[in-house]
Amino acid sequence: MGEARKSVLLFGPSLGAVSGVSTHLNQLFASSLAGEFDLRHFLVGREGRVESPAARLFRFAFSPVLLAAYLLKSRPDIVHLNTSINRKAFWRDLGYLLVARTLRRRTVYQVHGGELPEDFAGHKPLRMALLRWVLNMPQAVVVLAQCEKTAYRRFVPATRVEVIPNAIDIDVSRQIAPRAITAAPLHIVYVGRLARTKGIFEILEAVRLLQDRGTAVRVTLAGDGEEAVALEALASRLGIAQRIDFAGPLFGDDKNRLWASADVFAFPTFHSEGLPYALLECMAFGVVPITTAVAAIPDVMQDGVHGYLIPSKDPPALADAIARLDADRTTLQRLSAASQQRIREHYTLERMAGEFRALYRSL
């Protein structure tokens, strides 16, 4: 008889939630990793749940106890926590980490964005000491970006820190032929949460500047969020409402069709992004990104090679980058092809599965 598969308990939101971490978990369960390890899911957080305030309070208070009972019963070999370094996620997941380490489970602590350690601790001695104590508990800390690895190694030099970037399933995008050069107005898209920190108001300001210059573009904003009403009001006030399509959240084939029709992904974010799936998706489809040098974004794309990196909160810079591509469709085609090649060579599911396989085996 063969040796029993090692078991890994993956923490995260509902697998049906609209969430980057949910996407990450679904990819792990669908990858070749699931053939070697017995992957299990422990539901945390409120994303994807429908619950009353009382049920939410009960979950917050007792889920660490439920975890302890589960660990004592099923005894997984590895606990893989997916978290972020922000106030809400850090304090919620600290309870789970304490339970896992108290019960002597080998633990992977994967950070999906948020603040860097010193910034999160506010450079205050007591908070920095607490955070160092927490980050020294797991057997490995996994981050998404090289800049994060540098910051974590400086903050906790004795802790093992690994970079394992996100990945995407590129099977659908393989069907996209190289983009032809046309004279049609550029189709600019944004896919993601409609939040101010994503730079979406700057997108509308840039469209107005382009309109004033006589450059015609069409824009699709796909997503929902707290700023949807304010964005529609701004588009009307700027006189560009006829150029903006508020498509709402798109999934599956609908989202793939949007990527296939797009020329440029406008993403002038100034948020702590981690590694946005939308960036990987757009590049896989040959959509040229115009974004900012936040977190793992410079690891994925080079300015002038795959797209353009611009300053944050700078609508004129965004408008200039779009106008440059509008005027030079040959460069647009070159950046598109380079983007597709970059993703197909470095951001596949099998690459990510292999890196987690090596990490789990080492534990």
Side-chain angles (χ1 to χ4, degrees):
M1 296 179 63
E3 183 181 353
R5 290 190 302 166
K6 302 294 185 183
S7 58
V8 180
L9 185 62
L10 293 158
F11 284 60
S14 166
L15 298 180
V18 181
S19 159
V21 177
S22 296
T23 299
H24 174 67
L25 293 176
N26 281 307
Q27 289 177 342
L28 292 179
F29 279 109
S31 74
S32 61
L33 197 66
E36 180 172 343
F37 294 89
D38 178 13
L39 302 183
R40 307 170 187 177
H41 179 221
F42 188 85
L43 183 62
V44 301
R46 59 185 299 185
E47 292 172 300
R49 295 181 191 255
V50 178
E51 59 184 359
S52 66
R56 189 178 308 130
L57 180 62
F58 177 87
R59 170 174 55 81
F60 184 79
F62 290 100
S63 56
V65 177
L66 297 176
L67 171 63
Y70 182 91
L71 294 181
L72 288 169
K73 179 180 179 181
S74 62
R75 302 188 64 80
D77 298 287
I78 297 171
V79 169
H80 181 160
L81 273 162
N82 291 277
T83 190
S84 297
I85 300 299
N86 59 54
R87 185 175 303 174
K88 179 181 177 181
F90 174 80
W91 291 109
R92 178 197 66 203
D93 295 336
L94 175 57
Y96 300 129
L97 178 61
L98 287 169
V99 169
R101 294 304 295 130
T102 299
L103 295 179
R104 304 179 67 83
R105 297 298 90 193
R106 296 184 179 276
T107 307
V108 173
Y109 190 83
Q110 184 172 3
V111 180
H112 296 263
E115 296 180 275
L116 296 177
E118 291 184 359
D119 296 331
F120 179 73
H123 300 271
K124 297 179 179 178
L126 286 177
R127 291 172 64 177
M128 291 179 73
L130 171 64
L131 185 55
R132 283 196 177 96
W133 176 68
V134 170
L135 293 175
N136 277 312
M137 277 195 274
Q139 273 65 45
V141 171
V142 174
V143 295
L144 302 176
Q146 290 293 335
C147 66
E148 293 174 328
K149 181 176 182 178
T150 300
Y152 276 79
R153 282 191 165 173
R154 182 175 60 243
F155 191 75
V156 279
T159 296
R160 177 182 178 182
V161 182
E162 302 283 353
V163 177
I164 302 182
N166 289 337
I168 59 167
D169 183 352
I170 63 171
D171 284 348
V172 175
S173 67
R174 286 186 187 277
Q175 304 168 15
I176 304 300
R179 292 178 182 270
I181 298 176
T182 72
L186 291 182
H187 184 193
I188 315 299
V189 303
Y190 167 86
V191 176
R193 188 164 55 89
L194 300 183
R196 188 172 295 270
T197 56
K198 303 291 188 176
I200 44 179
F201 286 85
E202 285 77 3
I203 295 174
L204 298 191
E205 294 283 359
V207 172
R208 180 188 62 81
L209 292 172
L210 290 167
Q211 180 172 272
D212 291 347
R213 300 176 190 177
T215 300
V217 297
R218 60 190 184 98
V219 180
T220 301
L221 302 182
D224 60 9
E226 62 270 23
E227 300 291 358
V229 174
L231 282 167
E232 293 188 29
L234 178 61
S236 179
R237 192 162 62 250
L238 294 175
I240 59 170
Q242 76 282 1
R243 299 190 184 278
I244 312 297
D245 175 24
F246 290 90
L250 299 178
F251 307 98
D253 290 342
D254 290 333
K255 184 167 66 168
N256 291 337
R257 279 190 287 270
L258 176 64
W259 285 130
S261 73
D263 299 299
V264 172
F265 175 47
F267 188 51
T269 179
F270 49 95
H271 179 66
S272 299
E273 290 293 339
L275 201 174
Y277 280 102
L279 176 66
L280 301 181
E281 290 174 357
C282 86
M283 292 175 66
F285 277 88
V287 180
V288 175
I290 302 176
T291 184
T292 55
V294 171
I297 291 175
D299 293 350
V300 180
M301 58 165 288
Q302 290 180 267
D303 183 43
V305 176
H306 309 101
Y308 294 126
L309 295 173
I310 61 171
S312 61
K313 303 181 182 180
D314 193 341
L318 177 57
D320 289 345
I322 294 171
R324 200 180 321 163
L325 294 175
D326 181 67
D328 186 355
R329 300 301 176 96
T330 301
T331 294
L332 178 71
Q333 189 181 50
R334 173 177 60 82
L335 299 178
S336 170
S339 291
Q340 285 187 303
Q341 182 178 1
R342 175 70 173 161
I343 298 304
R344 290 172 182 174
E345 290 180 355
H346 297 283
Y347 291 93
T348 63
L349 290 184
E350 192 48 48
R351 186 274 308 161
M352 183 178 72
E355 292 179 357
F356 275 110
R357 181 181 296 111
L359 174 62
Y360 290 165
R361 286 176 177 175
S362 73
L363 299 184

